[in-house]
Amino acid sequence: MRGSDLLGAPVVSRSGAALGRVLDVRLVQDGPLLGAFAAMRVEGLVVGHRRTSARLGYDRVEAHGPWLVATVVRWLARDNRYLPWEQASLEGHRVVSGLDELLRVPFIT
Amino acid sequence: MTGRVRDLALHLLDRQVVDTEGKAVGNVDDVELVVPEDGSPPYVVAILTGPQALARRLGGLLGQWLGFWSHALSRPDSSEPGRIPMELVTDIDTQITVARTRQELGVHRNEDRARQYLILRIPGARHARQ
Amino acid sequence: MKGLLKVFLGVLTAIGGFVDIGDLVANAVVGARFGLSLAWVLVAGVVGICLFADMSGRVAAVTGRGTFDLVRERLGPRAGLANLVASTFVTFLTLAAEIGGVALAFELATSVSYLLFVPLVAFLVWFVIWRMPFEKMEQAFGLAGLCLLAFAVALWQLGPDWGELFRQASHPSVPDGEGHPTYWFYAISLFGAAMTPYEVFFFSSGAVEEGWTRKDLKTERLNVYVGFPLGGVLSLAIAATSALVLLPQGIEVDHLDQVALPTVLALGKIGLAVLIVGFVAATFGAALETALSTGYSLAQYLGWQWGKRTAPKDAARFHAVVLVAVVLGAMLVLTTLDPVKVTEYSLVFSAIALPLTYFPILVVANDPEYMAESANGRVVNALATGYLVLLTVVALAAIPLMIATKAGQ
């Protein structure tokens, strides 16, 4: 599987309601050892409707950047949500969510 | 133990990959993940670089067009994108460092071609002028 | 003296942006038609390019990354590609025009048709990029480009009523016989020329070529605040001389010799000789800047090794792109397309690439992951945000204005 198979994939609930698309993939570096480092393991998916909203990450990292830009981008990203990987399953090129209500996007600290 | 958290598009994709000598290897155009049989979460096993990988990211007609041309141009070699196993990665920061030189990685078919057929035929190609 | 030699990256970048062949003529046109009523645009342009060039240079010094690297990283492959196509289009057209421009300066000196010089000029541009060390290159062409200061000397010799000039500049109004759309078309052209994207591609990549680090941030700032205001002063001097001499006589400018006319009047043959050296250096410098920028932006978007600090064989695709761009540029000029007209149109397209270039710079210059303690301060951010809004307005207005005024005719 490639990263690009996940990014942009439509996310639906079990009842088939559209929840958005995969905008980003949360990775945690605690997978199996590859060389000197632990592998980056998929932890969850950032899901939303506006591709541009996730690009700058202002919805997930501490505020930095010009106030106006950060405000506008946060506003665009206001509907972005999070789907933990254990609640997600791949069916074809769609992601089916075990949750009907997605979670808030956890900040990266 | 909890590992460092990164977001794929935000912290990994489109970043520059450099070799042990600090020379550019390519961009992170895509990543390859394995999905373990036992149902545990997928993890990143390799960085993919080159036009074949970029074509998929671009998508649409443009992506198809780039895919077609990079495929046509890469014959008779393989048309798979350059692949850098994560085992070789020594640092992931604003750029990604790998523990091999560009030649050893062998992900540079087009660069090699440009060098062989054009650049090396011009006098003075071998020397940097500082 | 040694410290002074370090500012030529900024000087050459600014010369390529402010007084390349298109701007040499455009500044004289503006002076001859609008007096100094558009001087405020130049001031706004200088402030804007200083802000963003400083950010791009700072990012380059701290992270070792050229601007287009960041464009791709922050905008993603698609929007990054849109910017690549738009800005490469502008940069390439400018390159073609500059090759023609150097040839035109030779024509001015020898009265031999410029077309005969085009292949020679193209070869020389490529050869300098192939062989000349980066620092020698910027010093040689930056220094020789300073001959254009003859415009400023000429202005002083013409002995104008300084109070009147200042009044014109500080109370802008549209002159009789000129329409508002034409006035604003030229305003956008001048602003776009001052902030044209290849300046930051070249400046940031040049900073990497010179191996600047965090320790060189002072040099970086000096380059910005000497280079670009100097470019602005040269532009103003051209506009002012032609406002003094050509405007009252109703002489229309469409060729390089009319640009030189006021200086010849004030300083005689010596003035012309110095100007020709300046013309050649400035247009040649701009050709180098645009040829290299084409290679820099494409290589950075695709993650190739780039630049003159390694042997050409280690940056083979970069050098191949530069070579192809120079050859195609020369071929374009040989079709007898008017180089001056080419840049007039390309200027307006650059307005479209502007927001897509400066937005990612602003974002990264604020990112602590990249910049640590060298991130932007509040004042810079407030100003830069204002310019970003302005650039977007300019981008939106550019094409309708160009169509409505038939490119300012």
Side-chain angles (χ1 to χ4, degrees):
Chain A
M1 183 169 65
R2 288 197 191 172
S4 54
D5 296 332
L6 281 175
L7 291 171
V11 182
V12 294
S13 69
R14 273 171 304 192
S15 57
L19 298 172
R21 285 177 181 277
V22 177
L23 299 180
D24 212 335
V25 180
R26 170 87 22 118
L27 301 168
V28 180
Q29 197 165 4
D30 63 359
L33 214 59
L34 293 175
F37 293 104
M40 289 181 280
R41 159 186 75 75
V42 176
E43 166 94 349
L45 305 170
V46 179
V47 180
H49 295 280
R50 290 178 206 84
R51 202 192 290 257
T52 41
S53 67
R55 195 65 226 182
L56 300 172
Y58 285 175
D59 49 343
R60 282 160 285 160
V61 289
E62 277 303 306
H64 57 76
W67 174 82
L68 185 65
V69 174
T71 309
V72 171
V73 177
R74 278 221 189 86
W75 180 77
L76 285 173
R78 67 195 179 282
D79 297 328
N80 289 358
R81 290 291 181 271
Y82 187 71
L83 172 63
W85 184 255
E86 60 264 29
Q87 297 289 346
S89 53
L90 276 174
E91 288 178 16
H93 60 279
R94 292 194 315 179
V95 176
V96 178
S97 163
L99 301 172
D100 289 328
E101 284 278 317
L102 300 182
L103 313 177
R104 288 182 62 112
V105 184
F107 266 59
I108 300 174
T109 45
Chain B
M1 187 194 84
T2 51
R4 181 161 171 189
V5 179
R6 289 190 188 85
D7 282 2
L8 177 64
L10 194 58
H11 295 118
L12 209 54
L13 290 180
D14 301 316
R15 297 215 172 180
Q16 182 75 54
V17 182
V18 296
D19 71 2
T20 38
E21 297 166 339
K23 294 227 162 67
V25 175
N27 279 334
V28 183
D29 288 314
D30 208 339
V31 293
E32 186 182 311
L33 301 140
V34 290
V35 189
E37 298 279 323
D38 62 1
S40 60
Y43 56 90
V44 179
V45 282
I47 287 167
L48 303 177
T49 181
Q52 291 94 337
L54 181 60
R56 270 232 230 163
R57 294 268 318 287
L58 285 172
L61 267 180
L62 195 69
Q64 282 178 20
W65 183 79
L66 180 67
F68 172 80
W69 278 106
S70 53
H71 182 76
L73 287 173
S74 63
R75 282 184 305 171
D77 309 324
S78 126
S79 60
E80 285 295 302
R83 185 178 183 281
I84 303 166
M86 288 307 286
E87 282 90 342
L88 300 181
V89 173
T90 53
D91 188 32
I92 302 173
D93 199 347
T94 56
Q95 53 188 17
I96 284 102
T97 315
V98 292
R100 290 286 185 281
T101 63
R102 301 193 292 173
Q103 288 75 19
E104 290 166 330
L105 287 167
V107 295
H108 264 194
R109 292 186 293 264
N110 295 331
E111 175 84 10
D112 295 341
R113 262 190 220 117
R115 181 185 303 118
Q116 188 184 345
Y117 294 119
L118 179 66
I119 298 303
L120 278 181
R121 299 190 174 187
I122 307 171
R126 289 169 201 280
H127 305 288
R129 284 296 183 99
Q130 293 286 322
Chain C
M1 192 60 205
K2 236 185 164 176
L4 268 183
L5 278 178
K6 282 189 186 158
V7 302
F8 280 101
L9 176 59
V11 172
L12 182 59
T13 309
I15 283 178
F18 280 82
V19 285
D20 68 293
I21 183 68
D23 298 324
L24 283 168
V25 178
N27 282 312
V29 169
V30 163
R33 285 176 62 172
F34 300 94
L36 283 186
S37 62
L38 281 164
W40 62 273
V41 178
L42 276 173
V43 176
V46 169
V47 174
I49 190 66
C50 280
L51 271 174
F52 285 96
D54 173 48
M55 279 184 235
S56 77
R58 188 151 32 95
V59 173
V62 173
T63 67
R65 318 281 298 279
T67 291
F68 224 94
D69 230 335
L70 313 173
V71 169
R72 159 97 187 257
E73 226 174 83
R74 291 295 103 175
L75 297 181
R78 282 192 219 207
L81 187 65
N83 187 3
L84 183 71
V85 171
S87 54
T88 304
F89 182 70
V90 175
T91 313
F92 170 72
L93 282 184
T94 314
L95 167 62
E98 301 315 318
I99 294 174
V102 182
L104 280 174
F106 283 153
E107 181 184 279
L108 191 61
T110 61
S111 305
V112 177
S113 166
Y114 77 98
L115 288 171
L116 290 174
F117 292 109
V118 167
L120 174 72
V121 171
F123 174 78
L124 288 176
V125 167
W126 170 80
F127 189 73
V128 166
I129 292 175
W130 183 257
R131 290 310 279 164
M132 205 170 180
F134 193 89
E135 284 176 28
K136 289 272 167 357
M137 177 188 93
E138 72 188 26
Q139 284 162 10
F141 291 95
L143 205 59
L146 292 182
C147 288
L148 290 180
L149 282 169
F151 280 114
V153 178
L155 178 63
W156 178 64
Q157 279 284 316
L158 286 168
D161 179 349
W162 294 100
E164 167 61 19
L165 278 184
F166 184 75
R167 200 199 54 79
Q168 267 189 36
S170 56
H171 296 79
S173 65
V174 183
D176 300 332
E178 299 285 359
H180 274 90
T182 321
Y183 180 85
W184 286 107
F185 173 79
Y186 276 103
I188 282 184
S189 292
L190 285 182
F191 189 67
M195 296 200 67
T196 185
Y198 62 73
E199 286 174 281
V200 284
F201 301 151
F202 183 73
F203 187 66
S204 62
S205 306
V208 178
E209 297 260 31
E210 291 196 17
W212 286 357
T213 63
R214 208 178 271 278
K215 277 183 241 146
D216 300 296
L217 285 177
K218 259 195 195 137
T219 314
E220 184 270 320
R221 240 169 280 140
L222 197 65
N223 268 272
V224 169
Y225 294 112
V226 171
F228 295 105
L230 183 74
V233 166
L234 290 176
S235 290
L236 261 178
I238 295 172
T241 54
S242 86
L244 286 172
V245 176
L246 307 178
L247 179 63
Q249 314 245 6
I251 299 175
E252 275 206 30
V253 180
D254 53 18
H255 209 257
L256 211 50
D257 32 352
Q258 288 131 353
V259 180
L261 194 60
T263 307
V264 177
L265 220 63
L267 303 175
K269 281 222 160 125
I270 294 179
L272 181 64
V274 174
L275 264 200
I276 288 176
V277 175
F279 283 160
V280 171
T283 47
F284 204 100
L288 296 171
E289 177 169 349
T290 45
L292 281 166
S293 290
T294 312
Y296 289 148
S297 43
L298 193 68
Q300 287 167 16
Y301 176 85
L302 290 167
W304 301 344
Q305 177 69 29
W306 51 269
K308 288 166 56 54
R309 65 202 182 285
T310 54
K313 75 172 174 58
D314 291 326
R317 282 177 291 186
F318 167 77
H319 275 282
V321 167
V322 171
L323 174 60
V324 169
V326 172
V327 171
L328 287 180
M331 281 162 62
L332 188 64
V333 190
L334 284 175
T335 61
T336 70
L337 205 69
D338 182 354
V340 175
K341 283 275 173 314
V342 168
T343 53
E344 268 174 30
Y345 284 96
S346 72
L347 273 180
V348 175
F349 285 104
S350 84
I352 301 157
L354 288 171
L356 288 178
T357 300
Y358 292 124
F359 179 66
I361 295 177
L362 179 58
V363 169
V364 173
N366 274 288
D367 192 331
E369 191 197 346
Y370 289 79
M371 299 303 291
E373 72 273 21
S374 304
N376 276 357
R378 272 164 193 256
V379 180
V380 169
N381 268 342
L383 277 171
T385 312
Y387 267 90
L388 210 58
V389 175
L390 185 64
L391 285 169
T392 313
V393 173
V394 165
L396 292 176
I399 290 192
L401 270 178
M402 184 171 87
I403 294 168
T405 64
K406 298 199 183 75
Q409 278 160 21

